Amino acid sequence: GESVGLHLPTLSVQEGDNSIINCAYSNSASDYFIWYKQESGKGPQFIIDIRSNMDKRQGQRVTVLLNKTVKHLSLQIAATQPGDSAVYFCAEMGDNNDMRFGAGTRLTVKP
Amino acid sequence: DSGVTQTPKHLITATGQRVTLRCSPRSGDLSVYWYQQSLDQGLQFLIQYYNGEERAKGNILERFSAQQFPDLHSELNLSSLELGDSALYFCASSVGHSLEPQHFGDGTRLSIL
């Protein structure tokens, strides 16, 4: 299994900088990918999604990039704010409805 | 607020016991999903129900069972509890049954003493 909590990869950025969080997914047949944000004591919160027929999707201050060749997903957060500090999970879903979550990355924003 | 409600927020019990966790999905959502989040296993998908019927099954132990009722709320039953069952249990819901965002509740923290 994958680890969360104490052994999470960590990314520390300065407030106002851009953040890039990376994720390698496992199933080349996955059709759908989602990024979630989880704050302490809360459930995962949907940020942005992308289907396998796209390679880029933009939201408000966030962009998801999908590279199916190398099975890589990234989340870019523009002008990172202290409120963005959280654990970020990527998730993949195939046609069996089984959503698989990555290990998560802890983002810390320094003021 | 995701609109998904889970009760109770915390549950403390002993080994060998049985507990029931409850979830009310967002208004209009027909699918309910259950996940377990522990320190050493991350977020693990357990089971999905869609409009009252089991739709997909993940890493759910035989000691665990779930159901979705006609009003679409769901319950996760955990029996013969072991220390290793201590975890956060999340419920999520979505409108349909695949390839769309799932919206999570804030979880039930289960502690086995």
Side-chain angles (χ1 to χ4, degrees), chain A residues 5 7 26 48 54 73-74 78 81 84-85 88 101-102 105-106 109:
Chain A
H7 303 291
S26 57
I48 192 167
M54 303 172 68
L73 196 65
S74 69
Q81 302 167 1
D84 295 327
S85 293
Y88 289 80
F101 282 78
T105 296
R106 187 181 303 280
V109 182

Side-chain angles (χ1 to χ4, degrees), chain A residues 23-98:
Chain A
C23 175
Y25 63 92
S26 57
N27 186 355
S28 57
S30 291
D31 297 323
Y32 181 61
F33 304 88
I34 305 179
W35 280 99
Y36 283 95
K37 170 187 181 184
Q38 188 175 20
E39 296 174 284
S40 180
K42 299 280 190 184
Q45 174 189 355
F46 170 78
I47 301 173
I48 192 167
D49 59 358
I50 188 167
R51 293 185 185 268
S52 59
N53 60 354
M54 303 172 68
D55 54 22
K56 181 179 180 178
R57 189 155 189 240
Q58 288 184 288
Q60 187 175 13
R61 280 202 309 119
V62 294
T63 301
V64 56
L65 299 177
L66 175 63
N67 185 331
K68 293 182 288 293
T69 303
V70 294
K71 293 190 288 186
H72 184 267
L73 196 65
S74 69
L75 176 71
Q76 300 176 2
I77 304 173
T80 316
Q81 302 167 1
D84 295 327
S85 293
V87 176
Y88 289 80
F89 293 97
C90 66
E92 60 180 304
M93 181 185 278
D95 57 5
N96 62 352
N97 283 351
D98 184 352

Side-chain angles (χ1 to χ4, degrees), chain B residues 16-91:
Chain B
Q17 295 299 305
R18 172 189 169 93
V19 297
T20 297
L21 313 184
R22 182 187 168 99
C23 170
S24 293
R26 291 188 319 166
S27 177
D29 284 0
L30 298 179
S31 272
V32 169
Y33 310 78
W34 286 98
Y35 291 85
Q36 181 192 59
Q37 186 176 40
S38 59
L39 282 177
D40 61 349
Q41 291 289 321
L43 261 165
Q44 298 285 318
F45 167 68
L46 296 178
I47 197 164
Q48 177 200 2
Y49 280 80
Y50 174 74
N51 205 21
E53 299 290 325
E54 182 182 307
R55 180 80 185 181
K57 216 165 186 176
N59 300 321
I60 188 165
L61 300 172
E62 285 193 13
R63 300 184 285 109
F64 296 0
S65 65
Q67 54 184 328
Q68 185 180 29
F69 295 87
D71 67 352
L72 301 177
H73 91 272
S74 179
E75 292 180 355
L76 178 67
N77 301 296
L78 315 176
S79 62
S80 302
L81 286 167
E82 302 174 0
L83 293 176
D85 297 328
S86 295
L88 273 165
Y89 291 84
F90 287 104
C91 169

Side-chain angles (χ1 to χ4, degrees), chain B residues 94-106:
Chain B
S94 65
V95 176
H97 53 70
S98 66
L99 303 184
E100 61 186 290
Q102 297 174 18
H103 299 273
F104 284 75
D106 286 337

